[in-house]
Amino acid sequence: MDFLKVSSKSSPASVAGAIAGMVKDGVPVNMQCVGAGAVNQAIKATAIARGFLIPTGVDISCAPTFSDIEIAGQSRTAIRIAIYVHKIPSAANQLGRDASEVR
């Protein structure tokens, strides 16, 4: 499984664009962060991406997990964040009507 590797120096707007693009392409989105600063940037990126996607009828949520990884021969604990995609029902679907009936 591939991960978007997010660091404390990552631009949240750039990561958000990557998340939104992957969601639109139907590609699973998973991020990997090591350290509090990296987790902060990843969560900000998720919030920004959500703002990009909601107007298109798609919402996202995330689920964090811990993972033991090795970096330069040292064992580290990473936070992995999985992004879940949710379709937003249209107003017509919520009311059980055709779109032509909604005014």
Side-chain angles (χ1 to χ4, degrees):
M1 181 182 295
D2 291 328
F3 295 94
L4 287 177
K5 293 181 182 175
V6 181
S7 79
S8 61
K9 295 180 176 146
S10 296
S11 162
S14 296
V15 176
I19 292 169
M22 291 173 74
V23 167
K24 287 178 182 178
D25 291 343
V27 177
V29 182
N30 294 288
M31 294 181 282
Q32 181 171 282
C33 317
V34 177
V39 172
N40 181 53
Q41 298 302 79
I43 294 300
K44 285 193 283 187
T46 303
I48 294 167
R50 189 169 183 243
F52 292 160
L53 292 166
I54 285 177
T56 69
V58 175
D59 195 2
I60 58 173
S61 61
C62 64
T65 57
F66 289 106
S67 180
D68 293 322
I69 63 170
E70 190 173 311
I71 298 176
Q74 292 186 322
S75 181
R76 303 287 303 265
T77 300
I79 299 278
R80 289 184 172 169
I81 302 171
I83 301 294
Y84 295 99
V85 180
H86 316 279
K87 300 287 183 193
I88 300 172
S90 69
N93 290 341
Q94 289 176 344
L95 299 173
R97 302 179 188 165
D98 289 335
S100 61
E101 296 178 33
V102 177
R103 300 193 196 278

